[in-house]
Amino acid sequence: MARIKQTDKDLLELKGLHLYHHQGSNCAARIRMALEEKGLKWTGHSINLVTCEHLKPEYLRINPESCVPALIHNGFSITGSEDILRYLEETYPEPSLCTGTEKEKAEIWRWVDEAAHSHLDTTVSFLYAHKMGRPCAKKHLPIYEKINPERARFIKERGYNMSEKQRLEAIAHNHKMFQKLEDNLSRKAYLAGDEFSLADIAWGMNIILLENFGFNFSEYPKVNEWSQKIRQRPAYNDKVRIPKFPQWLIYCMFKIKRFLYRTV
Ligand SMILES: N[C@@H](CCC(=O)N[C@@H](CS)C(=O)NCC(=O)O)C(=O)O
């Protein structure tokens, strides 16, 4: 588990659960949803990914790899959505979001780990393949190279100029994943069984983000139905909700941003 002992007074003084997140982040939405499902009281700190607040030294103290989400609790920061979900489930086991036999629980964690570890290859690559998403400005690449070389390599390879081969591969890879979700949801009410679990939170937020970007899942009727069911849960409230903007606005915003970022 990625857990970092904090030493700065301002962070040590924080009481309760503090989530560092961005409202538009699917990885952070997993944590918001789990916190609300568990009925926990938490304080949110918005880290604006668009203005690159996540690359500032104040945030790098909390997550040296710069991504959101990060959780601060009792003087430690915990990073990586899968590790934060594990921490919450261990620390606040009731109500559980991971029930069943040991085998069923292991299956839930497999889904969670897969969602977290495949973030760049799934959601981000899919958005890049459709000229969306926000590869950083060129001037920020040296920072990424220092703090998160894997992400720097990814942005350089796929962020600015994805080749047609990479584009088709990214789309095919994601469709394979959507089909895997569809197949599972054809057999069960939820991703890992008959109960709503962390598996649904982990993948549900990916699908909801893509839907909000305008992608249509009608080819995958079970996925469609399941994401609606997740949206209707009381826990998917205003604190959790991933914002939805009109398609034309998203398109213009990314077009401008991508044009500028290629050069600056
Ligand atoms: N595997 C990590 C991925 C976290 C991640 O990449 N978060 C995105 C937002 S969804 C981020 O912070 N991106 C920052 C960037 O692109 O530099 C997790 O599941 O927490």
Side-chain angles (χ1 to χ4, degrees):
M1 183 175 289
R3 234 187 251 199
I4 306 160
K5 174 93 192 92
Q6 294 298 324
T7 48
D8 291 347
K9 193 164 171 279
D10 59 325
L11 300 178
L12 290 174
E13 277 173 352
L14 296 174
K15 300 270 177 280
L17 293 159
H18 288 257
L19 179 67
Y20 293 76
H21 68 126
H22 181 254
Q23 202 65 28
S25 153
N26 53 323
C27 302
R30 291 177 194 139
I31 312 305
R32 299 196 294 267
M33 182 77 176
L35 288 162
E36 290 295 305
E37 286 283 349
K38 284 183 174 288
L40 294 166
K41 208 162 163 277
W42 57 282
T43 308
H45 302 258
S46 176
I47 300 295
N48 191 334
L49 298 179
V50 181
T51 57
C52 289
E53 272 181 357
H54 60 301
L55 299 177
K56 293 196 173 148
E58 302 90 86
Y59 185 63
L60 295 176
R61 307 177 290 170
I62 298 168
N63 184 354
E65 288 191 344
S66 81
C67 308
V68 296
L71 183 80
I72 291 202
H73 191 216
N74 292 338
F76 283 87
S77 66
I78 303 136
T79 63
S81 61
E82 75 284 29
D83 286 342
I84 303 174
L85 292 176
R86 270 194 179 80
Y87 179 79
L88 291 176
E89 190 60 30
E90 280 166 23
T91 315
Y92 303 98
E94 294 299 333
S96 177
L97 294 169
C98 184
T99 54
T101 62
E102 287 313 308
K103 198 167 156 231
E104 285 160 345
K105 287 184 193 169
E107 155 114 14
I108 293 173
W109 288 116
R110 256 197 309 278
W111 282 109
V112 170
D113 288 336
E114 189 178 11
H117 298 158
S118 71
H119 177 60
L120 294 180
D121 287 331
T122 54
T123 312
V124 181
S125 292
F126 196 65
L127 290 175
Y128 283 3
H130 291 91
K131 302 212 179 319
M132 292 181 181
R134 15 143 233 101
C136 68
K138 285 244 161 92
K139 67 176 179 205
H140 287 136
L141 265 179
I143 309 181
Y144 277 97
E145 266 154 7
K146 206 162 133 212
I147 61 175
N148 195 336
E150 189 203 339
R151 189 154 306 224
R153 205 169 34 249
F154 173 81
I155 297 169
K156 276 195 282 189
E157 276 176 14
R158 298 196 229 168
Y160 308 113
N161 294 307
M162 221 180 195
S163 70
E164 188 55 13
K165 182 169 176 280
Q166 285 173 323
R167 212 179 74 77
L168 295 175
E169 275 170 8
I171 293 174
H173 177 73
N174 274 275
H175 277 284
K176 212 165 139 193
M177 198 62 225
F178 304 149
Q179 190 59 54
K180 184 170 154 186
L181 300 181
E182 179 75 9
D183 292 345
N184 272 272
L185 292 164
S186 307
R187 293 193 296 268
K188 311 164 195 165
Y190 289 99
L191 212 44
D194 289 328
E195 302 283 333
F196 176 80
S197 76
L198 290 168
D200 303 290
I201 292 183
W203 281 97
M205 295 304 125
N206 290 1
I207 298 298
I208 288 176
L209 176 92
L210 294 178
E211 285 171 344
N212 287 3
F213 268 96
F215 295 100
N216 183 328
F217 284 87
S218 52
E219 265 181 79
Y220 303 99
K222 293 286 171 192
V223 173
N224 227 341
E225 211 178 280
W226 163 79
S227 79
Q228 293 311 317
K229 238 172 19 181
I230 299 176
R231 285 176 189 271
Q232 279 155 21
R233 293 182 73 84
Y236 191 73
N237 57 28
D238 286 348
K239 283 178 87 178
V240 175
R241 201 163 287 126
I242 299 175
K244 185 171 164 55
F245 299 104
Q247 185 87 46
W248 65 266
L249 184 64
I250 296 177
Y251 186 74
C252 292
M253 201 174 77
F254 285 126
K255 208 165 163 78
I256 295 167
K257 203 164 163 64
R258 280 174 162 265
F259 175 74
L260 290 175
Y261 276 16
R262 209 165 289 150
T263 46
V264 294

